[in-house]
Amino acid sequence: MTTTPVIDGIHLHARLAALARVGAIDGGGCARLALTDADRDGRDLVVGWMRAQGLAVTVDAIGNVFAIRAGREDGPPVMTGSHIDTVRTGGRFDGNYGVLAGLEVCRALDAAGLVTRRPLCVAFFTNEEGARFQPDMMGSLVHAGGLSLQEAYAATDTSGVRLGDELERIGYRGQAAPGAIRPRAFVELHIEQGPVLEEAGYTIGAVTGVQGISWHEFVVSGTAAHAGTTPMRLRHDAGYVAAAAATYVRQLTHDMGGAQVGTVGVSELRPNLINVIANHARFTVDLRNTDEALLRQAEQRTFATIEAVAQAEGVTVERRRLARFEPVVFDATMVARVERVARAHGHDPMRLPSGAGHDAQMMARLCPTAMIFVPSVKGLSHNVAEYTAPADLDAGAAVLLDVLLELAQA
């Protein structure tokens, strides 16, 4: 006998809290950088839950984890999931919520005695954040065929440690070939990580796509000299170029307007002394836009400006691409399905693009894909103060349940 499946919000919140204790840091957040010991411990915890629920767990060669709940028929599964790695000052919901809500969907179906026509799969992908190894969304990118295993294994962190070696060290270099599990559809539930839903008063966001992302690192080489005795006209100041770049990126966003955003997130100087002109600067530029042509324009203008400032200052600058992804538009039918299910649950969903990168943008290369957003209080994420109200977490999980159920029964 079957009953109507219902999400157990209390159990979902308890698991979110338990996972947050792995790599916990002051302020209620957590630090589980990809392929660290903390990441391994978080993986072990979640995989343990998957197996305890009777799901068949597979780990592929890039460390992506897939847990399958069998359907009445064999074939490509309907997949959901996200990631459980974090940035160094991460919160407890980013990525984790989508994975654990997927497990709660499976628990709800078990409790209701319901076996879906098609298999369901809950996944979490390796190194989504890109905080330790670049590019970000690496596991899903490899799964989708956009990056080779060899390229992924060769990625190094700032200490020169290879990703492939770390994957082996923590015991998550699996045997399955990346991409072997090709889903029928993919749905990712996630906190918004921005202020739009909360500001507008919406509980559910139907995500239309993901804006394009451009990450570049710049290294400037100048000449160290005495800060008091060197005339301004004779300086070759690497620090000045870094500062000028940061100022320009902000001005560019004002000049272009619209969806254009830009950030200088890393800025390092050497010798980093108060009375010495910097002979070395390293900084990163993060540019994003929902329009590929405009993103390219932002890149070209930024690169040209930095080169011009460097030339005028008499320094050299080297540029290295860390990540580059074009904007992604999600399947229109899938987005409409999220809206319809949300309305059936009594919500007035808001259509919006994602400002952050997500595994869903890589999975969209393989199958019809959609995302469901719930609000982030004050728009905070990548911050220990990241928070989403329990009622909103429950609402998003309930919508996910019914979207997945429709797809799995189709």
Side-chain angles (χ1 to χ4, degrees):
M1 179 179 178
T2 62
T3 59
T4 301
V6 178
I7 292 290
D8 183 345
I10 293 176
H11 195 265
L12 172 61
H13 306 157
R15 279 188 167 174
L16 284 165
L19 183 53
R21 288 193 287 271
V22 181
I25 56 177
D26 291 343
C30 46
R32 291 193 305 274
L33 291 175
L35 310 186
T36 57
D37 290 352
D39 184 29
R40 176 200 60 210
D41 294 345
R43 287 166 170 264
D44 289 348
L45 180 63
V46 175
V47 169
W49 288 335
M50 290 172 164
R51 288 181 171 141
Q53 288 183 209
L55 305 177
V57 177
T58 299
V59 182
D60 73 10
I62 192 62
N64 298 326
V65 174
F66 304 94
I68 293 182
R69 183 179 190 268
R72 296 193 304 275
E73 302 174 6
D74 293 331
V78 173
M79 186 181 290
T80 189
S82 192
H83 64 98
I84 64 170
D85 67 308
T86 75
V87 296
R88 196 175 299 278
T89 55
R92 60 177 57 196
F93 304 107
D94 178 4
N96 308 309
Y97 170 51
V99 177
L100 300 186
L103 291 184
E104 289 306 315
V105 167
C106 293
R107 286 186 78 250
L109 295 176
D110 289 345
L114 199 160
V115 178
T116 55
R117 177 186 176 190
R118 306 183 189 282
L120 282 174
C121 179
V122 181
F124 65 83
F125 296 97
T126 296
N127 189 44
E128 189 273 351
E129 292 291 4
R132 185 181 179 196
F133 303 100
Q134 287 82 47
D136 51 345
M137 285 84 72
M138 183 184 286
S140 53
L141 183 60
V142 172
H143 181 84
L147 184 72
S148 72
L149 266 178
Q150 291 68 33
E151 290 174 292
Y153 286 164
T156 58
D157 65 11
T158 55
S159 299
V161 177
R162 293 178 72 256
L163 180 141
D165 295 337
E166 287 293 85
L167 197 58
E168 187 76 41
R169 183 186 66 83
I170 69 167
Y172 275 90
R173 184 170 174 170
Q175 299 300 310
I181 300 175
R182 190 180 182 97
R184 180 179 179 84
F186 183 82
V187 185
E188 182 171 3
L189 174 62
H190 210 282
I191 59 171
E192 183 199 344
Q193 298 185 276
V196 176
L197 289 176
E198 182 184 53
E199 180 185 54
Y202 288 84
T203 298
I204 300 295
V207 185
T208 55
V210 181
Q211 63 184 349
I213 300 174
S214 167
W215 283 3
H216 284 82
E217 175 190 71
F218 296 82
V219 176
V220 185
S221 299
T223 303
H226 196 291
T229 63
T230 310
M232 301 303 291
R233 69 181 186 279
L234 299 177
R235 296 182 178 213
H236 306 291
D237 188 349
Y240 165 70
V241 176
T247 301
Y248 177 76
V249 167
R250 173 58 69 92
Q251 185 60 48
L252 174 72
T253 64
H254 288 295
D255 293 345
M256 293 186 65
Q260 184 62 51
V261 294
T263 306
V264 172
V266 172
S267 185
E268 299 173 354
L269 301 180
R270 287 205 309 256
N272 203 33
L273 298 171
I274 191 171
N275 59 348
V276 180
I277 298 166
N279 68 348
H280 172 91
R282 184 178 76 91
F283 60 94
T284 59
V285 175
D286 177 329
L287 299 171
R288 308 191 190 203
N289 202 305
T290 53
D291 185 296
E292 173 63 16
L294 292 176
L295 181 57
R296 289 182 183 178
Q297 181 187 134
E299 289 177 317
Q300 292 165 0
R301 292 171 64 174
T302 300
F303 300 163
T305 297
I306 292 172
E307 289 284 352
V309 173
Q311 185 175 2
E313 188 65 12
V315 302
T316 62
V317 60
E318 297 179 358
R319 182 177 80 240
R320 180 169 69 99
R321 186 172 73 177
L322 302 177
R324 181 59 167 88
F325 303 118
E326 293 187 1
V328 170
V329 177
F330 288 145
D331 181 88
T333 302
M334 293 282 284
V335 176
R337 186 188 297 273
V338 170
E339 288 183 310
R340 178 173 50 74
V341 170
R343 290 192 182 101
H345 280 262
H347 305 294
D348 179 20
M350 179 183 187
R351 284 196 170 210
L352 75 167
S354 173
H358 296 288
D359 293 309
Q361 77 191 86
M362 304 308 166
M363 299 304 292
R365 303 181 183 197
L366 299 179
C367 63
T369 296
M371 289 192 74
I372 304 164
F373 274 174
V374 293
S376 295
V377 172
K378 298 181 180 178
L380 293 178
S381 187
H382 288 186
N383 185 317
V384 296
E386 173 184 280
Y387 183 73
T388 294
D392 291 341
L393 296 172
D394 295 349
V399 172
L400 177 69
L401 167 60
D402 282 355
V403 169
L404 293 178
L405 189 55
E406 280 192 7
L407 291 167
Q409 296 288 55

